[in-house]
Amino acid sequence: MASRQAPLCGLAPCCLWLLGVVLLMNASARPANHSSARERADFHQEVFLGKDMDDFEEDAEPRKSRRKLMVIFSKVDLNTDRRISAKEMQKWIMQKTAEHFQEAVAESRAHFRAVDPDGDGHVSWDEYKVKFLATKGHNEREVAEKIKNKWDLNIDEETQEVLENLKDRWYQADNPPPDLLLTESEFLSFLHPEHSRGMLQFMVKEIIRDLDQDGDKKLSLSEFISLPVGTVENQQGQDVDDGWVRDRKREFEELIDANHDGIVTMAELEDYMDPMNEFSALNEAKQMIAIADENQNHYLEPEEVLKYSEFFTGSKLVDYARSVHEEF
């Protein structure tokens, strides 16, 4: 079974909604061939660091980075008792999600103006495609001329695939009646579908359609964690896949299936993927704490955050690989 990832191609994980999509969209693909573990780690880092991600440079001096990490710790530790509770982490996650939305709106407005040179308040797919290909090194005037005359664009296979995926998302952002012209609000949904209720509902339907084997428009645990035949080629692959199945089982039972009846409905899935869902934020906070909670007191303490700095910053406070949006 192929994974239907077109609507989200090129998006970096940036909020609870996107985390849910990344994990769910990979549910029908071979875990060993996907980077869900890496993506989930990147997500945790972005949630914890927020705007401070850029402060953790690849070649940063470890002592300086540790100080910065403790500054973030103090911001999360609202009652200054030198430990972070699940509630404090939940509030921090919600704050970072809200910040992302504000940044997304500002970014979308700037990009909208860039691709709407005539200022008519609408952007066509062709206008966007010209600007997008220009960011990939193509001559903007030549591309515009080729599109106008319906000539071959002579672009490489990888770029063509990205364009096709972006076009799919463009169609989904185009509210009915569809005219293939996006308004500023529709353009926000295109660039940041995680902040669009309509796109969220569309993604839920897509995920259900891909994983629902009996056609009841719901997901059982077996449907959610099923692996295609022939995905395991060796013992190493088996170990990776076994771990992936365990993670998905826990995600299904502890995070998505809200009433614990063994079935995930569209409503439960939509709630789980909603970036501003407080319950999901609390569950995510508990998971983040559990990773580093060595003394099992259900709190994060400074020593634990420093010891598990790789989980929170993407490295042992030396190396840090940032993830960015594929599209401009």
Side-chain angles (χ1 to χ4, degrees), residues 208-268:
I208 294 290
R209 187 177 71 176
D210 280 353
L211 303 184
D212 178 22
Q213 297 174 9
D214 59 13
D216 63 355
K217 298 185 179 180
K218 300 175 185 178
L219 294 181
S220 65
L221 176 60
S222 61
E223 289 173 330
F224 186 69
I225 67 175
S226 62
L227 295 175
V229 176
T231 58
V232 178
E233 297 174 353
N234 51 44
Q235 185 58 48
Q236 183 178 5
Q238 179 69 61
D239 293 341
V240 171
D241 289 344
D242 287 348
W244 182 89
V245 168
R246 286 193 299 270
D247 289 343
R248 298 293 71 73
K249 183 175 185 292
R250 185 164 61 88
E251 181 185 22
F252 181 97
E253 295 175 339
E254 298 179 13
L255 300 181
I256 311 178
D257 183 14
N259 62 2
H260 304 294
D261 65 352
I263 296 294
V264 165
T265 64
M266 285 190 178
E268 286 175 323

Side-chain angles (χ1 to χ4, degrees), residues 163-181:
L163 272 177
E164 290 173 359
N165 292 330
L166 289 174
K167 188 173 183 179
D168 186 45
R169 201 163 82 216
W170 186 276
Y171 278 110
Q172 301 308 322
D174 186 17
N175 292 327
D179 55 9
L180 293 186
L181 298 173

Side-chain angles (χ1 to χ4, degrees), residues 155-214:
I155 57 179
D156 61 84
E157 184 177 344
E158 181 179 355
T159 301
Q160 181 61 43
E161 183 178 356
V162 171
L163 272 177
E164 290 173 359
N165 292 330
L166 289 174
K167 188 173 183 179
D168 186 45
R169 201 163 82 216
W170 186 276
Y171 278 110
Q172 301 308 322
D174 186 17
N175 292 327
D179 55 9
L180 293 186
L181 298 173
L182 299 191
T183 64
E184 188 170 330
S185 63
E186 290 171 335
F187 193 70
L188 172 63
S189 296
F190 167 69
L191 284 185
H192 295 275
E194 67 271 22
H195 296 301
S196 165
R197 178 59 58 179
M199 290 289 279
L200 173 60
Q201 293 170 344
F202 166 76
M203 289 305 303
V204 167
K205 291 179 181 177
E206 286 286 281
I207 292 168
I208 294 290
R209 187 177 71 176
D210 280 353
L211 303 184
D212 178 22
Q213 297 174 9
D214 59 13

